[in-house]
Amino acid sequence: MYRGATVLEAIRDLVPAWAGALAAAVTQLGDGWFLLMLGIGASWAVAWRRATGETTPFECDRPARRPDGPWVVAVIVGGLAVMTALKHLFALPRPDLATLDPAALPSSTRSLYASIASADGYGFPSGHAVGATVTYGLFALALEAGTRRLRLAVAAVIVAAVCLTRLILGVHYPLDVVAGVVVGGCYLAAAWRLLERSPFDRTLTAFALALGLAAAAMVASGRADSAVEYAAFAAGALAGWIAGTSGTTVESTSLERFPTEPSAGMLVTAFVPLAAVGSVGALSGRPKLVASAALLGLLSVLPAVIFPRLTAVETTTR
């Protein structure tokens, strides 16, 4: 498969040494850890604004239970899981190019630059391109700031910048980043459509989807660490969300009230995936990895569960 090796070499020949440092900084905008932190931060901010009675910054243009829950981070996790599965299915190597040595950097920071600018594992599709397309595309679709056209334009600029940095650093071929954008866009469109049509609340639907995709990634990758982490994250978040919201009454954007129906079956269903992923971690000698990822998933939904309850207690005590 021709992936644009000659184009990549031409780009590298045109890039000055100092551009490597700039590319290494900008490329972090598409790194998995950064995208997850963005999703978690957005979920926490929405939970706080909802609890304090402020207008949520996310569009909720259809009646749905808890439309502004922490579903944003679930969509991001699902996209990263899709990327992991495809990388292992195609199993195509990265370019065999030396890391740029930026002369503009002090010698004491060059080792840090080398660790940031280099990459291992498979190269197709680009994980940074997939993650950036999903995350910034999602924010462009869901945020209410400005016009949607402006938000999409800003998202496109960020995604293009991230993709360009992967070529400058020489860790991906041009076809890798193009495929990453296409995969991210297709996944986001499918996930958005599913969330719009699902009879369940967006958070439940999004984390269930993320868990299913992460499980598929575990199978495709032979239980790679990243796939196990995504599955544990989604399982922990899903368990926390179902356990925390069962038995509460929530309001939709149409001002109708929808009581949930708590049952032992729901709680068991919530924790079965978590137990299954935990068993995988224990059997493969990675219990700490699973535990930390599941805890992070739980923390991502915790504010959306706790803040409304605290606000309700304060209201009743006044």
Side-chain angles (χ1 to χ4, degrees):
M1 178 190 298
Y2 178 72
R3 296 158 66 190
T6 55
V7 176
L8 178 61
E9 291 176 0
I11 292 175
R12 295 266 295 187
D13 291 340
L14 293 174
V15 172
W18 57 265
L22 179 61
V26 175
T27 203
Q28 297 303 302
L29 295 175
D31 203 77
W33 70 267
F34 182 77
L35 299 178
L36 282 177
M37 292 304 102
L38 277 181
I40 293 174
S43 299
W44 286 6
V46 169
W48 175 254
R49 295 186 66 170
R50 180 180 176 88
T52 55
E54 298 180 30
T55 303
T56 173
F58 288 101
E59 292 182 354
C60 301
D61 52 3
R62 70 172 178 87
R65 289 184 291 175
R66 295 188 182 274
D68 54 354
W71 56 275
V72 175
V73 67
V75 175
I76 296 173
V77 172
L80 296 176
V82 169
M83 171 269 298
T84 301
L86 291 177
K87 276 183 178 290
H88 286 83
L89 285 175
F90 285 99
L92 295 177
R94 294 179 184 272
D96 187 16
L97 296 173
T99 303
L100 287 172
D101 184 18
L105 287 178
S107 57
S108 59
T109 63
R110 291 184 183 178
S111 60
L112 175 62
Y113 162 78
S115 64
I116 295 175
S118 59
D120 54 12
Y122 299 122
F124 182 89
S126 166
H128 281 65
V130 174
T133 301
V134 171
T135 303
Y136 300 112
L138 176 62
F139 286 162
L141 292 174
L143 287 173
E144 291 183 330
T147 64
R148 177 169 287 192
R149 180 176 298 180
L150 176 61
R151 299 195 304 266
L152 288 173
V154 172
V157 169
I158 297 175
V159 171
V162 170
C163 291
L164 181 60
T165 63
R166 307 311 285 168
L167 301 179
I168 292 175
L169 297 174
V171 294
H172 282 295
Y173 292 106
L175 183 60
D176 299 349
V177 296
V178 172
V181 172
V182 172
V183 169
C186 291
Y187 161 76
L188 179 58
W192 186 265
R193 185 175 180 83
L194 175 63
L195 294 178
E196 288 294 303
R197 292 177 174 271
S198 174
F200 304 102
D201 70 71
R202 288 189 179 185
T203 298
L204 180 63
T205 302
F207 274 114
L209 174 63
L211 180 59
L213 293 173
M218 288 174 59
V219 174
S221 65
R223 294 181 296 185
D225 284 354
S226 58
V228 174
E229 286 177 334
Y230 299 144
F233 185 101
L238 189 60
W241 180 254
I242 294 178
T245 57
S246 293
T248 61
T249 301
V250 298
E251 297 181 359
S252 74
T253 54
S254 61
L255 303 182
E256 300 176 37
R257 298 179 66 84
F258 294 90
T260 62
E261 298 179 1
S263 67
M266 287 180 61
L267 297 180
V268 170
T269 302
F271 285 96
V272 164
L274 185 59
V277 177
S279 299
V280 170
L283 293 175
S284 59
R286 293 171 289 182
K288 292 183 179 179
L289 181 147
V290 171
S292 59
L295 179 60
L296 185 60
L298 176 62
L299 291 176
S300 70
V301 303
L302 205 57
V305 173
I306 292 180
F307 288 167
R309 296 178 183 272
L310 294 178
T311 304
V313 170
E314 292 179 0
T315 302
T316 56
T317 56
R318 288 177 182 175

